[in-house]
């Protein structure tokens, strides 16, 4: 595989072409390197990554706050040296990402106004930055150089200048945020000046033995801002400064185009790296949603880039590289792009975790050790909780049998993956199933477990992970023939009419409304055929690709939909619902389901909404009957997942993993 051919990055020889790009982890609350940060990166180094880029590392006091890794003072050098030494001991090279947020820094975190080339308000922070003076510009450029010097003294192999995602350097590059009239504003050549001066200062301070990487945005995806064409021009200018590699990512934090959740196709932004790779002679790294080795290998073999960045893929599985090299691809815990443990945590100021890898960020705390006493464990239910528990206990040496009453594993994950934008959820079940088989779990499908079977089997421990069921609707008329459950719609087991009312605007209701809105839209193949043959105008194609056949109304009692959807993807759901033409009614209470529709109360008025079909998405109740029947038999019994308390898949996996370590 080309993934495992060495590559030269300036003075460095990388043993393979898989790097772990920087991602904010919230593991350094006081800016100093912590054991938690080291333990996290050590596992990824031991897992086969050739280069780890740690960061962001704040270059000065207004870069972003003390929750970033500190590199702005000499006091941080010992901690950085400890991190570098630890990573080196486990076979990887390491770089420090030099970070300055500019107008993306929150004043509450830095204790003063943020700075930027011009005082243009940020929709990311809701604040207006202070315009940088010439003295500020000179000072920040020097701080970049000072940070590079500290990285060199700490024994880092490289530094990466962060020039993407709408941070300070892109703020200079963009005509949206750079309104200056001096030599740092106006023409594109002038707007490049700050970034190029920063690159030259870092190159000089780093010295000949360190590599200098520059991370650029391949397209800002901001109206009126830079595209891949400008990114290419900037990359060509950067090459002349003596840097060694260009790392290409997507757009700004303020963009309305998804960047890394599962909505983005695997490797969907490799074309941005390709655009730059074709126009420079430096090694180029492609990033964003490269979670599967086949995607990574294809990018390299097609010569779209020279390296691939696997960031969240290695949060999900630190052994990603080693497993690929050993031919154990099916054993990889693939990142599913759900954001539940990573970005949702970042946006709430919490340390990041991972849905598919409960050990992420807790490497020292959660060790999967052999059990002191081997037990016979019976698990009932093959959803994410049951599979996680079964796999983990089997890895610890217990004899485990898992029963699933249906003919397939996965439970409610199949419903979550019904919407094509959420298809990656199935990767969770694929990974867990393969790992359970590898660990020796005896899986029995199509078997309903009752009280008598458990008593007959006499397990040392019975684990009930029987999931949940749709919560009944406390509405008159909910038993009508034209009333169906959202779960049945997502499972493809319920037909709906032309006019549909979905009651419940949580995650399931939103997913169901979007699922129904896709009925009658163009398929990707149809869209491609019509577009390349210019059979329809772009405007007509856009309508045919976004508007389906159904007339859908989504009802929610609260003031907004999707309150149980994470902050990092909530806006995507709302945007997609608006784009699909779904009629959303919030602060609307359903009163009664009639033969012809739904009576609701909104703004103290009673309104009749016509419907051929009413879809109920009103929550989940636990299925715990078996657990209740076993509590008095003397069998040790444990209740986990939705059977205990309905929640997200993240909670189900983490709860099951922690419980399995105690057996």
């Amino acid at each position: 595989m080309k993934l495992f051919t060495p590559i030269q990055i300036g003075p460095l020889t990388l043993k393979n072409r898989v790097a772990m790009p920087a991602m904010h982890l919230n593991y350094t609350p006081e800016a100093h390197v912590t054991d938690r940060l080291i333990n996290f990166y050590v596992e990824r180094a031991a897992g086969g990554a050739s280069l780890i880029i740690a960061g962001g590392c704040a270059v000065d006091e207004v870069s972003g706050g003390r929750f970033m890794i500190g590199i702005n003072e000499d006091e941080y050098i010992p901690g950085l040296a400890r991190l570098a030494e630890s990573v080196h001991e486990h076979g990887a090279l390491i770089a420090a990402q030099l970070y300055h947020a500019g107008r993306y820094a929150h004043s509450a975190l830095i204790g003063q106004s943020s700075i930027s080339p011009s005082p243009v308000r940020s929709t990311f922070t809701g604040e207006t930055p202070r315009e940088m003076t010439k003295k500020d510009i000179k000072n920040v450029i020097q701080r970049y150089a000072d940070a590079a010097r500290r990285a060199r003294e700490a024994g880092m192999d490289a530094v990466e200048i962060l020039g993407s995602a709408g941070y300070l350097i892109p703020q200079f590059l963009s005509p949206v945020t750079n309104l200056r009239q001096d030599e740092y504003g106006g023409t594109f050549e002038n707007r490049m000046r700050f970034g190029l001066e920063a690159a030259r200062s870092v190159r000089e301070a780093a010295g000949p033995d360190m590599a200098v990487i520059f991370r650029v945005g391949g397209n800002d995806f901001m109206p009126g801002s830079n595209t891949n064409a400008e990114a290419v021009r900037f990359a060509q200018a950067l090459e002349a400064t003596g840097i060694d590699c260009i790392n290409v990512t997507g757009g700004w934090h303020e963009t309305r185009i998804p960047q890394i959740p599962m909505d983005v196709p695997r490797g969907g932004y490799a074309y941005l790296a390709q655009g730059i790779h074709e126009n420079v002679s430096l090694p180029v790294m492609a990033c964003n949603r490269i979670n599967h080795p086949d995607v990574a290998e294809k990018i390299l073999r097609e010569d779209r880039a020279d390296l691939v960045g696997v960031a969240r893929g290695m949060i999900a599985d630190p052994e990603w590289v080693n497993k690929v090299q050993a031919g154990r691809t099916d054993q990889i815990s693939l990142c599913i792009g759900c954001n539940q443990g990573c970005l949702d945590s970042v946006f709430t100021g919490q340390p990041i975790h991972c849905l598919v890898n409960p050990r992420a960020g807790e490497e020292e705390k959660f060790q999967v050790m052999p059990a002191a006493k081997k037990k016979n464990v019976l698990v009932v239910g093959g959803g994410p909780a049951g599979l996680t528990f079964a796999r983990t206990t089997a890895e610890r040496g217990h004899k485990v049998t898992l029963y699933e009453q249906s003919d397939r594993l996965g439970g409610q994950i199949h419903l979550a993956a019904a919407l094509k934008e959420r298809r990656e959820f199935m990767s969770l079940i694929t990974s867990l199933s393969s790992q359970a088989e590898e660990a020796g779990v005896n899986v029995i499908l199509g078997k309903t477990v009752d009280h008598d079977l458990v008593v007959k089997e006499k397990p040392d421990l019975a684990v009930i992970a029987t999931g949940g069921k749709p919560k009944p609707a406390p509405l008159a008329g909910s038993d009508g023939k034209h009333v169906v459950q959202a779960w049945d719609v997502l499972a493809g087991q319920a037909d709906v009419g032309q006019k549909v009312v979905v009651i419940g605007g949580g995650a399931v209701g939103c997913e169901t409304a979007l699922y129904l809105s896709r009925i009658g839209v163009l398929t990707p193949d149809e869209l491609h055929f019509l577009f390349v043959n210019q059979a329809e105008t772009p405007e007509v194609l856009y309508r045919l690709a976004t508007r389906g056949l159904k007339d859908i109304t989504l009802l929610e009692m609260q003031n907004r939909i999707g309150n149980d959807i994470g902050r990092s993807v909530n806006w995507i759901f709302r945007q997609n619902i608006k784009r699909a033409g779904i009629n959303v009614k919030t602060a609307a209470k359903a009163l009664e389901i009639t033969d012809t529709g739904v009576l609701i109360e909104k703004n103290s008025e009673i309104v009749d909404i016509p419907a051929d079909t009413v879809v109920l998405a009103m929550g989940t109740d636990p299925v715990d009957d078996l657990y209740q029947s076993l509590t008095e038999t003397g069998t040790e019994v444990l209740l986990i997942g939705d059977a205990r308390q309905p929640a997200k898949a993240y909670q189900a996996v983490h709860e099951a993993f922690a419980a399995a370590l105690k057996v």
Side-chain angles (χ1 to χ4, degrees), residues 289-310:
R289 284 282 290 136
I290 302 174
N291 66 339
H292 196 284
D294 290 349
V295 175
E297 179 70 10
K298 188 171 187 286
I299 289 169
L300 297 180
R301 287 208 172 274
E302 292 178 349
D303 198 27
R304 306 180 77 186
D306 303 287
L307 305 92
V308 291
V310 181

Side-chain angles (χ1 to χ4, degrees), residues 29-325:
E30 295 300 325
H32 285 277
V33 168
T34 60
D35 289 343
R36 185 179 202 174
L37 185 77
I38 290 175
N39 292 334
F40 175 85
Y41 279 128
V42 158
E43 286 218 358
R44 278 76 195 165
S50 63
L51 174 67
I52 287 172
I53 306 173
C57 302
V59 302
D60 67 17
E61 63 278 0
V62 297
S63 294
R66 292 184 65 83
F67 61 94
M68 309 302 298
I69 301 172
I71 201 169
N72 54 306
E73 300 292 345
D74 287 354
E75 67 179 276
Y76 299 115
I77 294 176
L80 293 167
R82 193 161 64 95
L83 172 62
E85 182 180 2
S86 299
V87 167
H88 288 155
E89 287 176 355
H90 289 82
L93 302 176
I94 186 167
Q97 185 188 73
L98 307 184
Y99 172 96
H100 200 302
R103 70 199 270 269
Y104 276 1
H106 293 263
S107 61
L109 297 175
I110 62 176
Q112 56 184 290
S113 295
S114 61
I115 60 174
S116 193
S118 301
V120 178
R121 180 180 179 274
S122 165
T123 58
F124 182 68
T125 65
E127 300 176 359
T128 300
R130 174 177 66 81
E131 181 173 316
M132 294 173 68
T133 65
K134 295 282 187 65
K135 183 178 179 180
D136 291 328
I137 291 173
K138 183 178 180 180
N139 177 61
V140 172
I141 289 172
Q142 182 60 48
R143 299 303 292 271
Y144 274 110
D146 292 343
R149 185 260 303 169
R150 294 185 185 101
R152 175 168 50 82
E153 292 181 5
M156 295 279 181
D157 304 289
V159 289
E160 177 181 81
I161 304 168
L162 179 55
S164 64
Y167 292 120
L168 182 60
I169 291 174
Q171 290 163 28
F172 271 93
L173 283 170
S174 174
V176 173
T177 47
N178 186 345
L179 310 180
R180 302 176 72 95
Q181 298 300 314
D182 59 12
E183 66 269 32
Y184 290 96
T187 66
F188 187 68
E189 286 71 19
N190 282 353
R191 299 198 308 273
M192 287 194 296
R193 190 181 308 276
F194 176 81
L196 296 177
E197 289 182 353
R200 282 191 285 267
S201 71
V202 168
R203 174 71 279 172
E204 181 178 356
D209 297 328
M210 287 187 78
V212 177
I213 305 165
F214 204 109
R215 189 169 218 205
V216 303
N219 188 321
D220 293 347
F221 295 123
M222 293 281 289
S225 196
N226 297 317
T227 67
N228 195 238
E230 287 76 25
V232 167
R233 290 175 61 189
F234 185 48
Q236 291 171 328
L238 283 170
E239 186 169 12
T241 69
I243 67 166
D244 302 300
C245 178
I246 297 175
N247 180 1
V248 186
T249 183
W252 287 21
H253 289 318
E254 292 170 277
T255 181
R256 294 291 90 185
I257 297 173
Q259 300 298 297
I260 60 173
M262 65 176 73
D263 301 70
V264 180
R266 292 179 177 180
Y269 288 124
Y271 80 96
L272 298 175
Q274 175 184 334
I276 292 174
H277 179 54
E278 291 172 344
N279 289 281
V280 299
S281 58
L282 294 175
V284 172
M285 184 188 307
C287 294
N288 292 58
R289 284 282 290 136
I290 302 174
N291 66 339
H292 196 284
D294 290 349
V295 175
E297 179 70 10
K298 188 171 187 286
I299 289 169
L300 297 180
R301 287 208 172 274
E302 292 178 349
D303 198 27
R304 306 180 77 186
D306 303 287
L307 305 92
V308 291
V310 181
R312 293 187 307 159
M314 275 192 265
I315 295 175
D317 195 331
E319 289 282 325
W320 194 96
V321 178
N322 286 347
K323 287 179 179 178
V324 177
Q325 195 161 20

